[in-house]
Amino acid sequence: MVRSRDTDACPGALQVHQAADGALVRVRLPGGVLTAAQLATLARVATGFGSATLELTSRGNVQLRGVTDVATVAEAIAKADLLPSPTHERVRNIVASPLSGRVGGNTDIRGWVDELDAAICAEPRLADLGGRFWFSLDDGRADVSGLAADVGVHVFDDGCVLTLAGRDTGIPVSDITATLVRVALRFIEIRGKHWRITELADFGDLLPGAQPGAAFPPVATPPVGWIPQDDGRVTLGAAVPLGVLPARVADYVAAIEAPLVITPWRSLLICDLDEAVADAALRVLAPLGLVFDETSPWLRVSACTGRPGCAHSVADVRADAADALDADTAVHRHFVGCERACGSPLSGEVLVATGAGYRALRNNDVLG
């Protein structure tokens, strides 16, 4: 659904959204990366000034709901080095292959995330980009290119190629950061009231010679379980049911004091662990509700916020999604409370509440 408007309504840490259950704060995490100390800070403010939960988003960010003291929460977020640019904090939307540099891939793109983030914050004009525009950096495993970010780079064996709206343009890229910034600046020049590249009638207006090529297939499930790293250490991949991480569980994760990555599938990676530490962490975290079983039905169900948090919703879709778990289906089902269908994945089935049940809003082939 195209929603053209004059002003950018996406929430951040400073400009918040007043939801039905209170102020909603969204913290951008380029590449999904955060430290244990940063996670502990978010858990602390969520408990003291919010709903005592952290919501993981489909762009690898974190949301706090029901915030009662926005200024205090923003100050804590800034002190945790999660707010490097007050003017650009809502446009730091960068997704990257979550396992890059640790497991497989054609190259380690983690440094590119830092470079791109710094370049975005350093360009004053990009403050006008809008909170819905996002960038992707795929290390060649084809996990995030299929998420249809506005502009990105995909690393093939023989070099990097520009992607637009999740499509391979065939345009080679050598200077990654400069190219992505240049495309974003051009989009600002021509966008009118649009906030996403997919809303443009012609990619050629954005970049001469750019044609929408083949789309990368969307990946529907996160990396889950015991994941051996190339260096002999271990990453634990934890699915978070419906993307809602209780603050008390986040505290246990933070206590491990390991590097963390929030994935665009609303899951969590706990990285660089020795085997003994990984084993102990698994034994503690699994009983707390994190899911390490790649066959779990929790990996095939998701939902928007729904009631009571969203005034548009006609149902408590999270409760309904939890009640509808089905171990036998291979189809990912996303439950939404209205036809806005927030957070819908690009594959699987989207079910919209009608007030008397659910009907299929969209049904795509499951890919990935």
Side-chain angles (χ1 to χ4, degrees):
M1 180 185 296
V2 176
R3 303 171 196 156
S4 298
R5 58 171 68 93
D6 293 321
T7 58
D8 178 21
C10 277
L14 301 178
Q15 175 182 302
V16 304
H17 169 64
Q18 293 297 329
D21 57 350
L24 172 66
V25 169
R26 184 176 297 160
V27 182
R28 265 61 176 193
L29 304 174
V33 174
L34 78 167
T35 66
Q38 289 169 334
L39 179 63
T41 294
L42 294 177
R44 175 174 57 81
V45 297
T47 300
F49 305 99
S51 65
T53 59
L54 307 178
E55 292 186 345
L56 313 186
T57 79
S58 59
R59 297 185 180 183
N61 297 318
V62 171
Q63 294 184 162
L64 310 179
R65 300 197 71 87
V67 174
T68 57
D69 190 334
V70 173
T72 297
V73 169
E75 181 180 3
I77 290 170
K79 287 183 177 178
D81 293 326
L82 290 170
L83 189 60
S85 173
T87 56
H88 290 64
E89 58 111 358
R90 290 183 298 151
V91 302
R92 300 170 61 237
N93 295 308
I94 305 170
V95 296
S97 298
L99 287 169
S100 190
R102 292 186 169 98
V103 181
N106 290 330
T107 192
D108 184 351
I109 51 85
R110 290 177 293 181
W112 298 356
V113 174
D114 295 335
E115 291 175 11
L116 179 57
D117 185 28
I120 291 170
C121 293
E123 173 50 73
R125 291 173 292 175
L126 288 183
D128 296 327
L129 191 57
R132 298 180 63 202
F133 191 101
W134 53 321
F135 303 83
S136 67
L137 298 168
D138 193 307
D139 69 1
R141 74 187 68 224
D143 54 356
V144 299
S145 285
L147 299 177
D150 291 276
V151 60
V153 166
H154 189 97
V155 183
F156 290 96
D157 291 336
D158 57 352
C160 302
V161 170
L162 184 74
T163 62
L164 293 174
R167 293 182 174 274
D168 181 354
T169 67
I171 299 174
V173 179
S174 55
D175 191 331
I176 307 299
T177 295
T179 300
L180 296 181
V181 167
R182 184 169 64 251
V183 173
L185 287 172
R186 175 59 180 162
F187 175 73
I188 292 174
E189 293 176 354
I190 68 171
R191 72 175 183 85
K193 292 185 178 181
H194 299 313
W195 296 98
R196 299 291 312 281
I197 278 180
T198 52
E199 297 165 6
L200 297 178
D202 187 354
F203 285 174
D205 294 335
L206 182 70
L207 197 65
Q211 297 295 327
F216 289 90
V219 172
T221 56
V224 167
W226 184 282
I227 305 171
Q229 295 183 184
D230 295 341
D231 62 4
R233 292 182 291 180
V234 174
T235 285
L236 290 179
V240 178
L242 302 179
V244 181
L245 179 66
R248 68 179 188 88
V249 178
D251 281 330
Y252 278 95
V253 173
I256 301 170
E257 297 186 341
L260 304 167
V261 181
I262 305 298
T263 82
W265 303 280
R266 299 184 175 95
S267 70
L268 173 69
L269 299 181
I270 309 167
C271 306
D272 300 344
L273 303 175
D274 294 334
E275 288 193 2
V277 174
D279 183 67
L282 194 62
R283 294 175 185 273
V284 170
L285 296 176
L288 294 175
L290 296 186
V291 177
F292 298 93
D293 178 5
E294 62 182 7
T295 67
S296 170
W298 279 116
L299 274 66
R300 297 185 294 279
V301 66
S302 56
C304 71
T305 297
R307 286 182 176 174
C310 179
H312 296 283
S313 180
V314 301
D316 183 348
V317 295
R318 285 177 174 167
D320 291 342
D323 289 340
L325 288 182
D326 186 348
D328 295 328
T329 182
V331 176
H332 185 101
R333 291 173 296 165
H334 183 71
F335 290 74
V336 297
C338 73
E339 295 201 11
R340 291 160 62 93
C342 293
S344 295
L346 296 177
S347 62
E349 189 175 29
V350 179
L351 301 171
V352 61
T354 64
Y358 288 83
R359 64 175 176 82
L361 181 65
R362 190 169 70 239
N363 194 350
N364 300 321
D365 292 335
V366 174
L367 299 170

